[in-house]
Amino acid sequence: MVEGKMKIDFAPVDVPLIRRLQTAAVVQWVFSFLGLAPTCIILFFYLLFTRFWLISVLYAIWWYYDFDTPARGGRRKPVLLGLKLWGYMRDYFPIKLVKTADLDPRHNYILGFHPHGVLVAGAFTNFCTYATGFPQLFPGLTSYLLMLPLWFRAPFFRDYIMCAGLIPSDKESATYPLRKKKGGSAVVIAVGGAPEALDAHPGTFNVLLANKKGFIKMAMEHGAHLVPVFSFGENEVYDQVENPRGTWLRWTQDRLQSIMGVSLPLFHARGIFQYSFGLMPYRRPIHTVAGRPAPCRLSAVGRPIKVEKKEKPTGEELDALHQLYMDELSSLFDEHKGNYGVDKDVHLNFV
């Protein structure tokens, strides 16, 4: 017997059908996240050199006329969001959306989602599907999850993600729902973005927020209320190769991220038919807790004042609201961490 040989822990043959369906649902989601976009790009160009070339040509014409749709709120399809498929994905982990306060649908909101995790499983399941009951928990609100603009340049794939309520993360697209005067929009931002995925190690609570003020400015400019959201367990569903800051690996990852816009965490967990290695996430619970809305307000002598709209906030005003947001997020974390197995002495680390 060779010393140090890895033992593969295969899944039992008699796995219940319901668990197989849960696994299948997550397989398609992981593929959609990692492989569907390049597959669609390859398919688009491949068809041009076959007898089906007209499909790509017609799609290119359609794409030309439909180019601005992602920046106009996308093209949400409730039928897709309500598929039973997403219920299987929810139960795989499982994932739960926890409401701590009502959100008045007469206002618009920016939901700051923390942490990003590796594949933002909690954000997608809670805000891009109906599986965890977002419409029932927050009636009258429509959620829009922001995604890197480059993914909306992939043919076919752009239409699929728009159907799930995803919109580009550039300023024009992100602010479009917030310009609705009647309210009812909830723009969800994974504030730490792709760089935060590189810190998504189990047992860590690093939040890339210390210098993130763009979403704060956006909230002030449009009078949108801020809602901190913390997803307990988001960092637990994948292991990642150790990459502390200052190492050659982290330097390379940061460099590639700055060039391409996407991060490349070296993550792993389990497989489809075995539990030893692969790109399938672990079956570990994710509890996404939505905090109390913090109205856009400024620090002043006496009672804080609400800001309906301020097109050109000062640096001091931005700093004040940013600090308030971090305080609210810390309070949310400390208030709920005991319910989800986090030690009482653990606190958020703002990076």
Side-chain angles (χ1 to χ4, degrees), residues 279-295:
L279 298 180
M280 285 286 289
Y282 294 121
R283 286 180 177 265
R284 294 174 180 170
I286 296 175
H287 295 88
T288 304
V289 183
R292 296 178 295 273

Side-chain angles (χ1 to χ4, degrees), residues 151-314:
W151 299 120
F152 293 86
R153 298 168 191 153
F156 306 125
F157 182 72
R158 68 186 290 273
D159 300 279
Y160 173 65
I161 57 179
M162 278 196 293
C163 288
L166 288 149
I167 61 175
S169 58
D170 61 273
K171 185 175 181 179
E172 179 186 358
S173 304
T175 58
Y176 182 83
L178 299 178
R179 294 196 290 269
K180 295 182 179 179
K181 296 182 179 180
K182 293 183 179 180
S185 296
V187 174
V188 185
I189 304 176
V191 179
E196 193 174 66
L198 299 175
D199 287 326
H201 295 272
T204 61
F205 298 95
N206 298 317
V207 176
L208 192 59
L209 181 60
N211 297 308
K212 294 282 187 175
K213 300 179 183 179
F215 75 108
I216 299 291
K217 184 177 182 181
M218 186 188 305
M220 297 181 74
E221 290 174 339
H222 296 275
H225 294 348
L226 288 163
V227 181
V229 177
F230 194 87
S231 195
F232 291 91
E234 195 74 39
N235 285 347
E236 308 300 318
V237 297
Y238 280 106
D239 291 320
Q240 187 176 163
V241 174
E242 291 297 325
N243 58 342
R245 298 175 187 276
T247 62
W248 70 268
L249 175 58
R250 185 54 175 266
W251 180 89
T252 302
Q253 290 175 319
D254 288 338
R255 184 66 175 169
L256 290 174
Q257 191 278 322
S258 66
I259 296 173
M260 300 186 300
V262 296
S263 61
L264 299 173
L266 301 180
F267 63 93
H268 58 92
R270 51 160 291 185
I272 300 174
F273 302 112
Q274 45 77 27
Y275 306 128
S276 301
F277 59 90
L279 298 180
M280 285 286 289
Y282 294 121
R283 286 180 177 265
R284 294 174 180 170
I286 296 175
H287 295 88
T288 304
V289 183
R292 296 178 295 273
C296 282
R297 58 189 185 182
L298 308 177
S299 294
V301 178
R303 186 173 59 183
I305 60 173
K306 181 177 179 181
V307 177
E308 297 297 337
K309 187 174 184 180
K310 195 173 184 65
E311 294 183 359
K312 295 182 179 181
T314 66

Side-chain angles (χ1 to χ4, degrees), residues 53-65:
W53 59 270
L54 188 59
I55 294 176
S56 291
V57 172
L58 291 176
Y59 181 85
I61 297 173
W62 155 256
W63 191 357
Y64 175 79
Y65 285 102

